[in-house]
Amino acid sequence: MAETTRHPEPRYGIRPTMKDVAARAGVGLKTVSRVVNSEPGVTPDTERRVQEAIEALGFRRNDSARVLRKGRTASIGLVLEDLADPFYGPLSRAVEEVARAHGALLINGSSAEDPGREQELVLALCARRVDGLIVIPAADDHRYLEPEIKAGVATVFVDRPAGRIEADMVLSDSFGGAREGVAHLIAHGHRRIGFIGDQPRIHTATERLRGYHAAMAEAGIAVEDSWVSLGSTDAGRVRAAAEAMLGGPEPVTALFSGNNRVTVTAVRVLAERERPVALVGFDDIELADLLGITVISQDAAAVGRTAAEHLFRRLDGADHTPARVELPTRLIARGSGEIRPA
């Protein structure tokens, strides 16, 4: 007698349906639908049987049909620059809390500062019919989003403005914060102050550089070209820039770092030197309070919360011209920015 080959039951990919629930509970499809959607018209005994069948089968409601009926998916997309950046942790959490309060699911992803990847991710979220988007932009041209916005996808840009379209935005005061930080160094006796920032195509980098120049000009200090360096936040690039500014016969006596990643490398470079050098960093960093690092602090959670609340107001029907909200920064003096020139 030939041996019959037995094929194992497939483990993945087959989900129980409402028909399966109805068959197990011995009721009709309409009855299962009423129980699943918490509709009236079902006796307690019948509801109990249906719930027992749902639990036994592991049934989960498929929301696709409800989405088609209601036109809303109860989900929003968040496109960040870098999920590993500590600035985006509290921002993302604040967005999620607001979304949850509105009964919405948050889906997020990272553009890795790549304009092409940003567009791909944004359009993929739109294809999945998210109701709204919060975007930290990597691109400088967002006209690709115009059809989606016209189709009803509420969109708020965060940290940097949208490029070549009119849209809501929530920003921190990068210019004012940098000006305050550099003025703080000047007030502590520094005249030769170096600025190390991010790539010049990034809005926040240019705004912080503008704040640096404004503070120096207000103090009547002429800035030398060798005191300014913009580029990637790669540790090797930042280290080389810092060491160049700190070397030579007339080194800078203070550094202003343009973001948290630059600050981390600057702290390492300064820790290796015998001569004390003042430092103020834009963005707080982990352990900055223990290390005594003076910073210009952004309230990342407030930025995320404000953006999300603005987004849901749009989704609830608010109709007004695109708004620009700019939140203040705060200088936290901890010691490194108060070191006077040697």
Side-chain angles (χ1 to χ4, degrees), residues 113-194:
E113 203 63 71
D114 180 345
R117 183 167 169 176
E118 175 209 293
Q119 180 172 344
E120 180 182 350
L121 180 56
V122 165
L123 293 180
L125 289 167
C126 290
R128 284 159 178 76
R129 300 190 64 182
V130 294
D131 299 318
L133 291 165
I134 295 175
V135 181
I136 289 88
D140 55 11
D141 186 349
H142 292 94
R143 287 176 295 178
Y144 71 85
L145 253 174
E146 285 181 331
E148 309 299 335
I149 295 173
K150 287 178 181 176
V153 179
T155 305
V156 178
F157 287 83
V158 173
D159 197 41
R160 309 163 189 173
R164 306 185 72 177
I165 64 170
E166 293 293 321
D168 295 320
M169 65 186 77
V170 178
L171 316 172
S172 290
D173 184 8
S174 285
F175 168 78
R179 181 172 63 178
E180 182 181 16
V182 175
H184 185 75
L185 290 168
I186 294 169
H188 284 80
H190 296 278
R191 308 281 294 177
R192 302 178 65 84
I193 302 170

Side-chain angles (χ1 to χ4, degrees), residues 90-91 94-95 97-98 170 299-311:
L91 186 153
V95 172
E97 287 172 357
V98 175
V170 178
D299 191 339
V303 171
R305 184 169 53 253
T306 302
E309 289 171 348
H310 200 88
L311 183 75

